Amino acid sequence: MKMSIAKNIENIQNELPPSVLLVAISKYKPVEDIKEAYSCGLRAFGESKAQEMLAKYEQLPSDIEWHFIGHLQTNKVKYIAPFVHLIHGVDSLKLLKAINKEAEKNNRVIDCLLQFHVAKEDTKFGLNFNEATELLNSQEFISMNNVRVVGIMGMASYSSDAQLILNEFAHLKQIFEQLKQLYFSKNNTFKELSMGMSGDYKYAIEEGSTMIRVGSAIFGNRN
Ligand SMILES: *Cc1c(COP(=O)(O)O)cnc(C)c1O
């Protein structure tokens, strides 16, 4: 049977609480696929390459919210700064500075999520709790006027162990709550917990996700 983007979206939305945003991860997929998902009502799309996101932005309706989900290099921020809706994977002060600078040039404030590393796989991406508090305490961060940290993002281990995945999502939720209490208690804009992908979004929702990033379960496998 032929895979149907519309059917896939319907299946996911049927089990999605209204408080959880479905971000359709369209990386490496053609604009035709995005148009099909758009016609089903989706407006939030995620890309992992700055130039690819810019090219798609230029070809597609202007009411799409573009989410950047991959590792963003500082010299690529300029491509997406005029229009990006949310940058999910911020894991250094250096990157935050670059985003602040480009946002200022565009006369806007760019919303960001701090990325945390909680999974077992080794990766150089993602902060731990101490690194995050160091960043949030720094005078440089405090004086930035064109970025706004609105929550955190993370990934669970690539595993078939449901309990491990649930524990890692619970850990992310705990980090979110701690940061909220320590740094954003008077601030209603710190509210997003971006966690859950095609293989594990059901667990992420159980543990309090507010945004799931789903690619292959909507668009099929990427080559
Ligand atoms: C590619 C990607 C996704 C989507 O992955 P699927 O397994 O296809 O749903 C989500 N989040 C990040 C950070 C990604 O790089």
Side-chain angles (χ1 to χ4, degrees):
M1 205 175 80
K2 192 176 167 290
M3 192 241 0
S4 152
I5 290 174
K7 189 72 201 153
N8 291 343
I9 291 171
E10 192 189 324
N11 289 340
I12 296 167
Q13 278 179 331
N14 279 341
E15 26 185 279
L16 205 62
S19 57
V20 180
L21 176 71
L22 173 59
V23 181
I25 304 303
S26 48
K27 60 188 183 191
Y28 312 128
K29 294 293 177 179
V31 292
E32 290 69 35
D33 287 8
I34 301 178
K35 284 180 183 163
E36 194 171 337
Y38 181 92
S39 72
C40 299
L42 296 195
R43 293 296 178 270
F45 291 88
E47 291 284 334
S48 61
K49 298 269 185 290
Q51 281 113 318
E52 184 178 349
M53 183 191 262
L54 173 59
K56 287 172 172 171
Y57 162 77
E58 286 170 343
Q59 296 172 68
L60 287 158
S62 60
D63 64 342
I64 288 179
E65 288 179 356
W66 290 98
H67 293 242
F68 193 89
I69 55 146
H71 181 68
L72 182 57
Q73 289 169 275
T74 53
N75 62 339
K76 303 281 174 70
V77 176
K78 59 176 181 283
Y79 296 114
I80 63 171
F83 66 91
V84 68
H85 179 75
L86 178 63
I87 299 177
H88 286 236
V90 176
D91 65 357
S92 72
L93 186 62
K94 179 168 167 256
L95 176 56
L96 212 48
K97 273 163 68 176
I99 297 168
N100 187 61
K101 189 171 141 208
E102 294 299 326
E104 195 175 357
K105 283 187 198 165
N106 286 279
N107 223 334
R108 61 187 297 245
V109 174
I110 296 181
D111 286 349
C112 298
L113 303 178
L114 295 181
Q115 181 172 356
F116 282 84
H117 177 64
V118 297
K120 281 167 72 168
E121 289 100 4
D122 260 346
T123 153
K124 50 189 194 303
F125 304 126
L127 302 161
N128 63 36
F129 194 79
N130 287 338
E131 289 165 338
T133 58
E134 204 173 296
L135 186 159
L136 292 166
N137 285 328
S138 72
Q139 200 50 53
E140 262 184 311
F141 171 71
I142 292 165
S143 62
M144 287 179 196
N145 292 317
N146 296 78
V147 288
R148 195 166 68 157
V149 173
V150 298
I152 72 167
M153 173 268 201
M155 280 180 256
S157 298
Y158 186 74
S159 166
S160 55
D161 180 347
Q163 197 53 54
L164 174 71
I165 296 168
L166 285 164
N167 289 346
E168 290 172 349
F169 285 146
H171 186 190
L172 285 169
K173 170 78 171 177
Q174 181 200 354
I175 291 169
F176 171 82
E177 293 296 347
Q178 275 178 306
L179 292 180
K180 183 162 177 62
Q181 191 186 354
L182 285 170
Y183 295 95
F184 304 98
S185 58
K186 297 188 211 71
N187 194 333
N188 302 327
T189 55
F190 188 84
K191 59 182 170 55
E192 303 298 352
L193 182 50
S194 168
M195 59 186 195
M197 305 173 31
S198 291
D200 57 20
Y201 68 85
K202 288 169 201 172
Y203 302 125
I205 292 168
E206 271 183 56
E207 297 297 337
S209 173
T210 66
M211 290 183 168
I212 58 173
R213 310 178 309 271
V214 179
S216 47
I218 294 176
F219 298 110
N221 290 329
R222 294 174 291 272
N223 336 316

